[in-house]
Amino acid sequence: MPQLVRTALCLLLLLALSLGQTGGGANDQLARHRNLGKAFFENPTTHELAAEEFRKAVAEPSSTVEDRVNFGIALLAAGKTEAGVAELKRAQEQAPAIPHTWFNLGIQYKKAGDYDKARQQLEQMARLVNDEPVTHYNLGTLYKLDGKLIEARREFELASKLAPQLAA
């Protein structure tokens, strides 16, 4: 069975199961939007649908800051960069201890060529989660671009130590 057909069947099954839930309360709706958002996010062709489901999740009264993080990441994946960055910044203001905002904003700023903002975001990510090799690799790249070769080497070596299989 082709992967696309399997994915479509899984999504339909998930939708059928979520529609078949009884109660229909706010928590049921929130769970439904979360589950559909996650399912749609797994398929690169349905990132816009994922963003729409996470938008609905954020609109629920019992939504969490994690729902906003998922919404922001889905917007970025759907190519809605400005809106995605705005949602991640809102989530970061609400809960600065969540590392996902720092990492994703750092990568987004790096892609946009705003290396100072990218470095600041990734440095905070490294403070929150010091054993994430991709963070250290990206910091190394940013330090190298800034001519800080000692710092760059330190970050590259740490990334290599944490994940020897990391292709970068």
Side-chain angles (χ1 to χ4, degrees), residues 34 76 121 127 130 159:
R34 285 175 176 161
L76 290 177
Q121 292 289 322
R127 283 190 281 279
N130 193 39

Side-chain angles (χ1 to χ4, degrees), residues 85 102-122 134-143 145 156 168:
V85 166
W102 300 97
F103 181 82
N104 285 284
L105 285 171
I107 297 300
Q108 190 56 50
Y109 290 139
K110 182 181 171 203
K111 285 180 184 177
D114 193 340
Y115 300 136
D116 287 336
K117 281 186 181 178
R119 189 188 71 256
Q120 292 168 7
Q121 292 289 322
L122 291 171
V134 177
T135 299
H136 291 288
Y137 172 78
N138 280 287
L139 274 172
T141 301
L142 292 166
Y143 288 141
L145 288 170
F156 288 141

Side-chain angles (χ1 to χ4, degrees), residues 37 40-41 46-57 70-71 74-76 78 80:
F40 286 135
F41 190 82
T46 56
H47 284 161
E48 286 193 28
L49 294 171
E52 180 59 22
E53 289 301 326
F54 287 128
R55 182 195 62 73
K56 291 175 184 175
N70 287 337
F71 181 36
L75 286 167
L76 290 177
K80 298 179 179 181

